[in-house]
Amino acid sequence: MAAAGVGQQWVLVEMVQAFYEAPTYHLILEGILILWIIRLLFSKTYKLQERSDLTPKEKEELIEEWQPEPLVPPVPKDHPALNYNIVSGPPTHIITVNGKECINFASFNFLGLLDNENVKTAAQASLKKYGVGTCGPRGFYGTFDVHLELEERLAKFMRTEEAIIYSYGFATIASAIPAYSKRGDIVFVDEAACFAIQKGLQASRSNIKLFKHNDMADLERLLKEQETEDQKNPRKARVTRRFIVVEGLYMNTGDICPLPELIKLKYKYKVRIFLEESLSFGVLGEHGRGITEHFGINIDDIDLISANMENSLASIGGFCCGRSFIIDHQRLSGQGYCFSASLPPLLAAAAIEALNIMEDNPGIFQTLRAKCERIHKALQGISGLKVVGETFSPALHLQLEESHGSRENDVKLLKRVVDYCMNSGIALTQACYLEKEEKCLPPPSIRVVVTVEQTEQELDKAASLIKEAAQSVLN
Amino acid sequence: MERPGRAAAVAGAQPRANGCSGAGHGTLRNGYVRRFPAPDTQVDHIVHNGGLYKRPFNEAFEETPMLVAVLTYVGYGVLTLFGYLRDFMRQWKIEKCQNATEREEQKDFVPLYQDFENFYTRNLYMRIRDSWNRPICSVPGAKVDMMERVSHDYNWTFTYTGRVIKDIINMGSYNYLGFAQNTGTCQEAAAKVLSQYGAGVCSSRQEMGNLDKHEELEKLVARFLGVESAMAYGMGFATNSMNIPALVGKGCLILSDELNHASLVLGARLSGATIRIFKHNNMQSLEKLLKDAIVHGQPRTRRPWKKILILVEGIYSMEGSIVRLPEVIALKKKYKSYLYLDEAHSIGALGPSGRGVVDYFGLNPEDVDIMMGTFTKSFGAAGGYIGGKKELIDYLRTYSHSAVYATSMSPPVVEQIITSVKCIMGEDGTIVGKARVQQLAENTRYFRRRLKEMGFIIYGNEDSPVVPLMLYMPAKIGAFGREMLKRNIGVVVVGFPATPIIESRARFCLSAAHTKEMLDRALKEIDEVGDLLQLKYSRHRLVPLLDRPFDETTYEETED
């Protein structure tokens, strides 16, 4: 081995000469050493498992001894999530929950399109032509002409180059994020981001940096930190993609994201922005195009917009839109797109018709906004409950002003408020979360959803009823 | 050879922890023992542990002929060389670059894609892109209408001519029982529910989206599967990816078949459990992993595993193989682990009464802890389900990601499932469902037998309605798809990354809706194209056999 070390300094000729001059035993010894090195290089690294010297009998005993945990722990009989509300009949403006007729303040049917006759007729026509299922993923004869039409219409509606549809709202952003952001990339994400975003981030295995909810200073701090980090290792920085993932209107808080400031940060620090608009699409802006229209921002400044078609459009599924350069990539890399059956054509047809209605009645968004503002105002000043969310958010949260001991207690209290309202004909629901799974668990809340179908009297009635319920339960 | 798209992704998480290296293409698939010591061919590898099987289990994976393998690699080599050449020409603007490009304003951002990621797409996939995503404009039934499209720029963009190619025999859709229909009881029932309920739901199950229809569906599905309770979800893919994390977590072990579907892989990854891969349908490999796992416990911490979950599929959609369920169940019982069975392709399509792979083998559904499946395929609808013990379903109703965060299933889709399941069960008062199940089984055996007789290499189990026909060479992927479409037959062709790089194939999915005439026409055309493209690689001559070639006694019992 030492000879090899010295050998490096020799010129080639000398090496060959030395090789000829070396005694045979020396060559044999070196040969063996070389073979040994090769063996070491190519043999498997030793495995811990193989070092145990257990006899087969001992192994059998161990196997005999091992007791796994039960597949699932038992669920307590009184778990609030175990007994669902049963809705009989359509979940529209008037809804029958657990046998009681109520006005619906719980479903995200913002524009009231679930019950719309035109939408139903379009879906019926599609059902007559295509049947229900597609029997295949988009790649394998699961692409229908309606899918292409819907994608084109969505792209046109949003004024982007391209749109791509998914068959499940949740899977949309959860598939889109890991299509771009990979291991080693960095994602800056608002801590109030919804669960679908969290799952998408987890699937991407990227480096995740949470910033405080809507706190641009905190985001900038993180971006600056990253910038100093990058200066230390510019080679790595050149291949590390960065993304900011935010929601237009936050599902968990009802807040709007400060998009203009985000755009500034985007260009300053060269970070791409992914925007989840499930709550703001078909709600904000003059034509319902969402938060970009609300702020008057060039939509091309946002790298990717995703939204589901399960709220305003009252269908099923989701879509992403943006420039072709970005969106097209998902057609081969979006897992929920490639590996899942495509959207049933009747649901696509329903979404197309819903888009038609949105385009034909731009006034609908003003109506919705006025109603949101009305109930937001009416719900102020309830003792014990505070309203969280923008005045124009169609889904707002009622949180307890102060906690009554534990989360469990709070949930129970809010449930009593909900039950009280339900008994008097207003259907409400608490916002449900998986408490152990959420990254930053939002406080328990009642979610009040406004739709254009609710009349002003109904809005006032709901507000006064909630006030009454809070008074009787909380005081 | 690994599955880069699917299994290798998992293998990356746990690099070869099990010590099983991927099977080289020269080795025997599945570790089956040869029946005859044939000189250099091997055909039906006969299954052992005959005692566990109540019916014959014939699964064949003929070895790739050496010459074909070499030529396939040469083919990819040539394609790659040309790819580099054309990339070079694009760089020097000799060839026009058709790629969508980054915005001017964002040119100085970190590139969104790495160049080699797109090399394959740009230079290989783009050449044969017309074989996928073909848009159709009718029911995806036995025959289908397709929108004609042409490309004037070598598949970079397509334009629709406005013409419709009528009556293409559909060998691509997963319409196993022929429930993709726009007439009949299912459609009528769905239409009625649609007009009553509307298309969407606008809420999740735990909030305000639990309709009476959903409850009805779940009770029916539980009855259909023979389990205590069931829960339905809006998307098959998400059923796996959003429920596995609810069942296992850190400190648990997942043993996953190397060819499991992307959704199972994703679910396993999201769960945070340790993942180990066993060779496709190979029980020795599975048993070794089970034994080692229990004996050695968790790596580093040395604690025993909390629980072990085996993930398998009923029918593997790319191989056409059927899981060796009797053996899996025996192993699962012996090693006290839990079994998650994904019946995406097998529910409805297998078994005398269409109840999937458990029914096919005549086993007890209670022996499978988690019965998962989809409604997309046999039932002509959309969504997925999980069935099992009441405690399991109660737990999922409480903790499943779908139940809390995802919008619940569309009512007309639910109704389609209810009516089709009832039809299969005979609860609609007819024997239509039963007849369909039988028709599918007959079609399957007939089609597979004829293809084998023609001399194609066909993978998988003789009872599996998924029939992969091996093409191997990259140029033949596109050629086969196009030639078949010219002859008015729609087929699915698949290549890398859905299959190992040299094992490109065409895949036929049989349906109860296919008539004998359709199958005969398809077979005739496949025969013709097979001669044209020289696809008849098989080097053994199968004796045309009666439908059931073997009886129990031909199965030898061998233990290693």
Side-chain angles (χ1 to χ4, degrees):
Chain A
M1 298 291 252
V6 180
Q8 281 172 355
Q9 296 158 3
W10 289 10
V11 282
L12 192 67
V13 184
E14 278 175 294
M15 252 173 77
V16 175
Q17 211 172 13
F19 183 76
Y20 278 112
E21 283 168 9
T24 326
Y25 75 91
H26 194 100
L27 285 179
I28 291 172
L29 189 70
E30 295 227 330
I32 291 171
L33 280 174
I34 287 168
L35 286 177
W36 184 252
I37 289 168
I38 290 172
R39 215 203 109 169
L40 281 178
L41 280 176
F42 283 91
S43 68
K44 278 185 196 160
T45 42
Y46 71 92
K47 280 201 288 184
L48 282 171
Q49 293 179 0
E50 279 167 8
R51 289 197 314 180
S52 77
D53 307 314
L54 296 169
T55 62
K57 192 161 167 289
E58 283 170 314
K59 284 186 181 176
E60 250 162 57
E61 279 169 9
L62 281 172
I63 290 168
E64 198 58 41
E65 209 178 271
W66 182 64
Q67 277 306 330
E69 283 180 9
L71 179 60
V72 289
V75 182
K77 282 260 177 306
D78 60 337
H79 193 287
L82 198 52
N83 299 304
Y84 295 170
N85 292 318
I86 297 180
V87 177
S88 10
T92 45
H93 177 50
I94 304 294
I95 186 172
T96 313
V97 191
N98 303 327
K100 183 142 181 52
E101 198 167 282
C102 299
I103 301 162
N104 192 349
F105 276 83
S107 307
F108 295 109
N109 181 19
F110 305 135
L111 304 179
L113 296 176
L114 189 58
D115 208 17
N116 188 291
E117 277 312 314
N118 291 352
V119 173
K120 282 185 187 175
T121 314
Q124 287 286 7
S126 167
L127 175 61
K128 278 232 162 60
K129 187 171 176 203
Y130 304 101
V132 175
T134 58
C135 288
R138 287 292 292 267
F140 306 152
Y141 304 101
T143 302
F144 285 59
D145 46 358
V146 257
H147 294 137
L148 300 174
E149 189 189 340
L150 176 57
E151 283 176 353
E152 203 184 306
R153 286 295 306 278
L154 283 166
K156 212 176 109 210
F157 181 81
M158 294 298 284
R159 299 187 172 171
T160 54
E161 281 179 12
E162 195 166 341
I164 179 173
I165 53 173
Y166 283 76
S167 55
Y168 201 49
F170 190 96
T172 311
I173 189 73
S175 293
I177 294 175
Y180 304 98
S181 184
K182 310 281 179 196
R183 196 192 283 277
D185 295 338
I186 301 168
V187 186
F188 301 90
V189 61
D190 191 294
E191 61 179 17
C194 67
F195 198 69
I197 293 180
Q198 294 172 33
K199 287 291 124 180
L201 293 174
Q202 198 189 339
S204 76
R205 300 195 266 190
S206 308
N207 192 354
I208 292 151
K209 308 212 162 177
L210 289 172
F211 59 89
K212 290 206 189 85
H213 178 48
N214 268 351
D215 186 342
M216 290 303 107
D218 195 43
L219 172 62
E220 184 151 23
R221 177 183 63 83
L222 288 173
L223 288 166
K224 274 217 178 89
E225 252 171 41
Q226 187 55 42
E227 201 176 41
T228 14
E229 197 71 18
D230 287 347
Q231 276 156 4
K232 277 187 218 151
N233 196 348
R235 273 184 67 192
K236 193 175 157 211
R238 270 204 298 278
V239 293
T240 310
R241 285 166 285 228
R242 300 116 223 270
F243 304 91
I244 297 173
V245 180
V246 287
E247 281 178 74
L249 275 175
Y250 282 87
M251 183 64 92
N252 292 353
T253 64
D255 293 335
I256 193 168
C257 90
L259 202 56
E261 287 159 61
L262 273 167
I263 305 264
K264 270 181 224 142
L265 290 178
K266 165 183 169 163
Y267 287 108
K268 187 166 171 200
Y269 294 96
K270 306 198 193 318
V271 196
R272 295 169 197 274
I273 297 182
F274 286 3
L275 179 63
E276 219 300 318
E277 287 222 74
S278 287
L279 217 53
S280 48
F281 169 76
V283 172
L284 294 186
E286 199 186 334
H287 300 93
R289 290 194 195 107
I291 186 168
T292 45
E293 194 184 23
H294 176 86
F295 282 118
I297 283 169
N298 177 5
I299 200 154
D300 279 346
D301 281 335
I302 311 294
D303 292 86
L304 179 132
I305 289 179
S306 102
N308 70 30
M309 305 191 280
E310 297 166 350
N311 300 343
S312 288
L313 291 179
S315 180
I316 300 281
F319 70 92
C320 288
C321 62
R323 298 188 69 248
S324 295
F325 173 70
I326 292 174
I327 299 301
D328 212 36
H329 182 65
Q330 287 177 54
R331 299 197 191 271
L332 287 174
S333 308
Q335 286 218 327
Y337 178 86
C338 298
F339 295 107
S340 160
S342 52
L343 184 68
L346 75 98
L347 297 171
I352 293 173
E353 187 55 34
L355 274 177
N356 286 340
I357 294 169
M358 280 163 64
E359 283 178 347
D360 293 345
N361 313 290
I364 197 169
F365 307 108
Q366 263 71 37
T367 318
L368 180 65
R369 191 182 175 123
K371 290 188 173 172
C372 294
E373 279 162 1
R374 187 180 183 98
I375 196 160
H376 197 275
K377 207 166 147 202
L379 284 171
Q380 299 295 332
I382 300 178
S383 71
L385 286 180
K386 63 176 178 211
V387 184
V388 177
E390 306 291 337
T391 53
F392 46 78
S393 166
L396 53 89
H397 293 259
L398 293 170
Q399 291 174 2
L400 288 170
E401 260 169 0
E402 53 195 55
S403 171
H404 291 246
S406 65
R407 187 175 178 97
E408 206 178 329
N409 276 346
D410 295 352
V411 169
K412 275 189 186 144
L413 272 178
L414 289 175
K415 177 151 187 354
R416 280 171 58 200
V417 176
V418 169
D419 288 345
Y420 187 102
C421 296
M422 212 95 103
N423 280 328
S424 312
I426 298 288
L428 287 173
T429 173
Q430 283 193 61
C432 292
Y433 305 103
L434 288 173
E435 299 180 5
K436 287 188 192 125
E437 308 273 329
E438 286 277 356
K439 269 232 162 76
C440 303
L441 183 62
S445 66
I446 297 172
R447 200 192 290 117
V448 181
V449 180
V450 184
T451 75
V452 289
E453 287 179 309
Q454 292 152 0
T455 61
E456 290 179 353
Q457 290 90 318
E458 283 166 347
L459 290 168
D460 295 344
K461 184 188 162 197
S464 63
L465 196 63
I466 293 168
K467 205 169 271 182
E468 202 181 297
Q471 223 141 40
S472 88
V473 173
L474 300 178
N475 299 327
Chain B
M1 299 309 300
E2 289 180 346
R3 313 264 140 164
R6 298 181 294 179
V10 183
Q14 187 72 35
R16 299 275 165 81
N18 50 21
C20 309
S21 55
H25 66 92
T27 59
L28 295 189
R29 301 283 300 233
N30 296 0
Y32 295 170
V33 182
R34 290 179 189 187
R35 190 171 161 215
F36 311 108
D40 66 336
T41 59
Q42 63 182 61
V43 207
D44 298 34
H45 302 302
I46 299 305
V47 171
H48 307 295
N49 291 338
L52 286 171
Y53 289 86
K54 292 186 179 127
R55 59 190 304 151
F57 188 86
N58 295 326
E59 216 159 90
F61 290 97
E62 194 176 331
E63 201 181 20
T64 308
M66 182 57 85
L67 181 67
V68 175
V70 170
L71 287 176
T72 307
Y73 280 120
V74 171
Y76 278 106
V78 171
L79 280 169
T80 312
L81 276 179
F82 268 89
Y84 279 120
L85 180 70
R86 293 183 63 182
D87 273 0
F88 177 80
M89 300 208 319
R90 285 184 190 118
Q91 207 182 346
W92 293 97
K93 307 266 190 276
I94 302 168
E95 185 182 332
K96 200 179 141 210
C97 186
Q98 313 253 21
N99 266 354
T101 46
E102 180 86 277
R103 279 175 89 198
E104 272 315 309
E105 295 93 317
Q106 290 180 220
K107 284 267 190 227
D108 54 344
F109 280 43
V110 176
L112 192 54
Y113 314 116
Q114 268 152 0
D115 203 44
F116 63 80
E117 256 182 87
N118 287 340
F119 181 85
Y120 181 84
T121 316
R122 199 167 50 227
N123 294 310
L124 279 79
Y125 171 72
M126 208 43 89
R127 289 167 177 269
I128 50 173
R129 194 161 84 114
D130 57 316
S131 299
W132 291 278
N133 299 306
R134 289 175 178 162
I136 66 174
C137 48
S138 72
V139 188
K143 286 195 173 177
V144 69
D145 299 340
M146 204 173 284
M147 291 163 76
E148 193 183 64
R149 58 177 185 181
V150 287
S151 178
H152 300 294
D153 51 3
Y154 303 99
N155 291 345
W156 285 93
T157 55
F158 291 105
T159 41
Y160 296 96
T161 59
R163 278 192 294 274
V164 171
I165 314 172
K166 287 255 178 208
D167 290 332
I168 292 171
I169 297 180
N170 183 359
M171 304 295 300
S173 295
Y174 307 128
N175 177 24
Y176 298 123
L177 293 181
F179 279 107
Q181 289 171 306
N182 58 358
T183 52
T185 46
C186 294
Q187 188 271 341
E188 281 158 26
K192 216 172 126 208
V193 169
L194 175 60
S195 60
Q196 192 195 345
Y197 284 79
V201 182
C202 296
S203 190
S204 72
R205 291 293 296 276
Q206 285 202 1
E207 290 177 359
M208 203 51 82
N210 180 47
L211 305 185
D212 46 357
K213 281 283 161 209
H214 296 133
E215 302 262 334
E216 183 188 342
L217 171 69
E218 286 170 353
K219 287 200 183 92
L220 180 69
V221 168
R223 209 143 46 78
F224 177 64
L225 297 172
V227 294
E228 287 175 10
S229 192
M231 186 163 184
Y233 305 93
M235 181 195 198
F237 185 96
T239 310
N240 281 332
S241 61
M242 293 167 86
N243 284 306
I244 296 173
L247 298 171
V248 284
K250 210 162 173 285
C252 301
L253 177 66
I254 289 177
L255 298 180
S256 171
D257 190 291
E258 63 176 336
L259 298 188
N260 274 344
H261 188 252
S263 56
L264 289 164
V265 173
L266 180 64
R269 254 198 226 161
L270 290 177
S271 73
T274 306
I275 305 161
R276 288 178 187 166
I277 317 292
F278 60 93
K279 282 196 232 167
H280 176 54
N281 229 352
N282 184 327
M283 294 304 120
Q284 282 82 33
S285 169
L286 174 60
E287 179 159 18
K288 183 171 182 304
L289 286 185
L290 280 166
K291 201 182 263 176
D292 286 352
I294 299 174
V295 169
H296 299 290
Q298 299 184 37
R300 292 176 50 235
T301 61
R302 295 265 162 257
R303 295 285 154 82
W305 294 102
K306 285 184 186 159
K307 47 194 168 188
I308 300 177
L309 183 68
I310 304 171
L311 297 184
V312 290
E313 286 184 49
I315 291 180
Y316 288 85
S317 64
M318 286 296 165
E319 310 294 306
S321 47
I322 296 178
V323 64
R324 304 161 76 87
L325 195 62
E327 289 168 79
V328 176
I329 288 181
L331 285 179
K332 157 213 130 83
K333 283 185 176 161
K334 186 171 168 197
Y335 294 98
K336 289 173 269 188
S337 43
Y338 301 107
L339 177 58
Y340 188 109
L341 174 65
D342 176 345
E343 295 220 65
H345 288 267
S346 53
I347 192 70
L350 275 188
S353 46
R355 294 178 194 201
V357 66
V358 176
D359 186 27
Y360 174 76
F361 287 113
L363 299 167
N364 184 354
E366 281 185 13
D367 285 336
V368 180
D369 300 277
I370 303 130
M371 299 263 274
M372 180 272 166
T374 66
F375 297 125
T376 315
K377 285 128 192 163
S378 299
F379 308 100
Y385 64 81
I386 283 184
K389 291 238 164 19
K390 187 167 179 306
E391 299 92 76
L392 169 76
I393 303 303
D394 277 353
Y395 183 81
L396 288 179
R397 281 169 80 89
T398 322
Y399 296 107
S400 159
H401 299 180
S402 292
V404 187
Y405 297 102
T407 304
S408 38
M409 286 173 88
S410 157
V413 176
V414 169
E415 189 62 20
Q416 161 84 14
I417 304 163
I418 292 175
T419 40
S420 56
V421 170
K422 278 187 178 163
C423 180
I424 299 168
M425 289 169 87
E427 287 189 2
D428 59 345
T430 67
I431 52 156
V432 173
K434 188 125 192 145
R436 288 186 186 208
V437 173
Q438 273 167 8
Q439 186 65 50
L440 175 65
E442 274 168 35
N443 285 356
T444 301
R445 257 172 260 140
Y446 175 70
F447 194 76
R448 279 186 164 267
R449 198 192 67 208
R450 287 285 306 276
L451 283 181
K452 275 192 191 161
E453 282 168 17
M454 288 174 192
F456 294 106
I457 295 185
I458 303 295
Y459 273 8
N461 193 294
E462 65 163 12
D463 283 327
S464 142
V466 180
V467 187
L469 181 153
M470 302 311 289
L471 303 173
Y472 297 111
M473 293 168 207
K476 293 186 182 181
I477 303 174
F480 190 77
R482 288 169 196 158
E483 286 298 327
M484 291 307 284
L485 185 62
K486 244 189 240 168
R487 292 164 170 78
N488 257 21
I489 293 170
V491 297
V492 165
V493 284
V494 269
F496 180 81
T499 68
I501 195 144
I502 70 156
E503 289 182 16
S504 306
R505 61 196 70 178
R507 189 183 64 182
F508 310 104
C509 289
L510 291 157
S511 163
H514 289 137
T515 60
K516 178 123 191 312
E517 292 74 58
M518 290 183 202
L519 292 183
D520 281 337
R521 238 206 76 210
L523 284 163
K524 190 185 131 259
E525 307 292 3
I526 295 168
D527 193 27
E528 208 179 294
V529 176
D531 285 330
L532 182 71
L533 302 178
Q534 301 187 1
L535 294 172
K536 297 179 175 174
Y537 300 114
S538 182
R539 286 169 303 172
H540 72 274
R541 289 275 146 233
L542 264 190
V543 194
L545 289 165
L546 296 173
D547 270 356
R548 278 286 169 207
F550 297 108
D551 61 354
E552 212 74 17
T553 50
T554 43
Y555 293 87
E556 6 173 11
E557 202 132 0
T558 55
E559 293 292 333
D560 281 13

